[in-house]
Amino acid sequence: MNPPPFSRDPLKYLAGYPQHLQTRVVELIEQGRLGTILADKYGQTHTVRSDSQLREYVQDLKERYLRKSVPLGKVIYDSKLQVMKHALGTHTTISRVQGNKLKASREIRIATVFRDAPAEFLKMIVVHELAHLKEAEHNKSFYQLCTHMEPGYHQLEFDLRLYLTHLDCA
Ligand SMILES: [Zn+2]
């Protein structure tokens, strides 16, 4: 019953967060408790399996919160998408790598890892991507949009980082 090995850089998802939080996370991993804690808190799965179901899901949220923004282009699960690089960026303001391109095409690509992730994390990442329809940067108004669509956004983003850390260690 050894704790999961710490080979790669499991805390890459938490770079930029305070040291005491990172230390706490390392403790939880070493005690083998991170997965259980997340499973207790986020036990709800979702049924958004196909690209067309994903599109419907995204469209519903868009109708509810961003009705006046541009129409959606393609909406797909993308297995080549790296969550950190394309979905979450870093914890601070960062310019969107393909901001202009995405702005022109209005595509929404969701990393395939979210297909099997708890329902709350899918919602969080979709909210994140929808907010990018109006704001290319991770700035204050971007996060205001996110919390408008999902009041628990910030906690979910942090817990998603824990979840991805857990997947990396598992
Ligand atoms: Zn983003």
Side-chain angles (χ1 to χ4, degrees), residues 142-155:
F142 173 83
Y143 285 110
Q144 276 170 353
L145 264 176
C146 289
T147 50
H148 173 62
M149 290 186 267
E150 170 50 65
Y153 180 85
H154 290 292
Q155 183 68 49

Side-chain angles (χ1 to χ4, degrees), residues 148-163:
H148 173 62
M149 290 186 267
E150 170 50 65
Y153 180 85
H154 290 292
Q155 183 68 49
L156 283 174
E157 185 178 317
F158 179 70
D159 287 348
L160 169 65
R161 290 167 187 273
L162 293 183
Y163 177 74

Side-chain angles (χ1 to χ4, degrees), residues 5-44:
F6 240 154
S7 51
R8 283 158 296 165
D9 177 15
L11 293 185
K12 68 183 175 201
Y13 299 110
L14 296 169
Y17 282 85
Q19 189 58 50
H20 71 271
L21 270 177
Q22 300 196 21
T23 308
R24 178 78 184 120
V25 173
V26 171
E27 281 168 12
L28 290 174
I29 294 168
E30 285 173 348
Q31 295 161 0
R33 290 172 56 210
L34 184 57
T36 319
I37 288 170
L38 287 168
D40 285 348
K41 194 167 176 187
Y42 298 106
Q44 200 190 340

